Amino acid sequence: MPSTPRARVWITAGLLSVALCGCSSLTGGTAGGTGGSAGGSTGGDTGGSPSTSSAADGPEVPASALDLERVCTDGLGYSGMPAYDRTKKTVHPAMLMNNPGDSWSQFEPPAGDFPKGWILGYSDKPADAELVVCVERTKESPTGRKCDMETDDGKPFTVSTYNTSYRLKVVEARTGKELSKHTGEAKSDECPMYIFSSEGEDKDKYYNEVRPKDYRKRVQPFIAP
């Protein structure tokens, strides 16, 4: 197969970069454990401290997606969020939260990964979600595969790939009630076509991550019954 030019392209100056290599297929994953996935899972709301918005005598609602971390980790919902009624045959919008191993952030899947309206985006209000879908990496193990990459200035470096285990939960946003839980693995022996990495992280490690298409059918009975 003819070689493909390889380069790293800066997405946000000084903050986020992507390295490319000539490979046969794309595998979703992250580099260094804190960057976005190759499928585009860079977190949307990752900075600052969580803050909850509520009136003194009104129901509690999340002020940002970061506030939904407690729904995933502690099963604590927000009384001001919409009630979930699975008997209603309509779309019940969900906020997708991702934890690649260090912290939680919102994840807006690329267009086409889920039907329109299933997953709320970065521009939507977290308080409109009926459900929270929590995807968390729980373990990683080396595949033994090493992949040759190049930086934006043409310097070669090697990436070691890792398989991962993950936990998927579907939780009611209002009550914190866990509706479904699944554990699985994301494995691949292929090199990534490109990786995202943030400045200062370990770009020499690439973690295979679960992709939306791998759990789409598992969340469908709750989001679109």
Side-chain angles (χ1 to χ4, degrees):
M1 176 182 296
S3 61
T4 302
R6 299 174 292 178
R8 168 169 290 186
V9 180
W10 290 102
I11 302 300
T12 302
L15 295 177
L16 186 67
S17 60
V18 56
L20 306 179
C21 75
C23 303
S24 59
S25 63
L26 171 64
T27 302
T30 60
T34 57
S37 75
S41 61
T42 51
D45 191 357
T46 58
S49 301
S51 60
T52 301
S53 173
S54 62
D57 57 351
E60 188 181 25
V61 296
S64 73
L66 284 178
D67 292 332
L68 296 176
E69 175 183 353
R70 81 181 201 189
V71 180
C72 291
T73 59
D74 301 319
L76 297 175
Y78 288 86
S79 60
M81 297 185 75
Y84 174 71
D85 184 354
R86 192 176 176 182
T87 63
K88 293 183 178 180
K89 302 304 180 181
T90 185
V91 172
H92 303 277
M95 183 69 74
L96 181 55
M97 299 293 290
N98 180 57
N99 185 348
D102 54 355
S103 62
W104 289 91
S105 62
Q106 180 187 1
F107 172 31
E108 180 178 353
D113 278 356
F114 289 99
K116 187 175 181 180
W118 282 27
I119 305 295
L120 297 178
Y122 299 136
S123 61
D124 295 315
K125 295 180 179 179
D128 291 338
E130 292 185 24
L131 298 169
V132 181
V133 176
C134 311
V135 182
E136 180 180 15
R137 184 201 301 165
T138 56
K139 187 174 65 174
E140 60 274 334
S141 58
T143 66
R145 183 72 182 270
K146 295 184 180 296
C147 305
D148 295 327
M149 310 288 289
E150 287 184 358
T151 63
D152 59 326
D153 55 2
K155 294 180 180 179
F157 68 96
T158 302
V159 169
S160 299
T161 64
Y162 290 76
N163 289 326
T164 62
S165 298
Y166 67 91
R167 181 187 301 115
L168 169 72
K169 295 195 298 183
V170 180
V171 186
E172 287 186 4
R174 184 172 187 174
T175 66
K177 178 182 178 181
E178 184 178 295
L179 302 177
S180 176
K181 181 166 68 175
H182 170 75
T183 57
E185 296 180 327
K187 294 183 176 182
S188 176
D189 58 1
E190 299 181 359
C191 288
M193 292 184 67
Y194 59 88
I195 60 174
F196 289 99
S197 62
S198 297
E199 186 176 9
E201 74 179 4
D202 184 359
K203 67 177 183 296
D204 300 328
K205 296 180 180 180
Y206 176 87
Y207 298 92
N208 292 309
E209 295 288 355
V210 60
R211 297 162 295 182
K213 71 176 185 178
D214 297 325
Y215 55 86
R216 193 162 46 216
K217 289 184 178 180
R218 295 188 180 277
V219 302
Q220 183 271 331
F222 303 96
I223 298 177

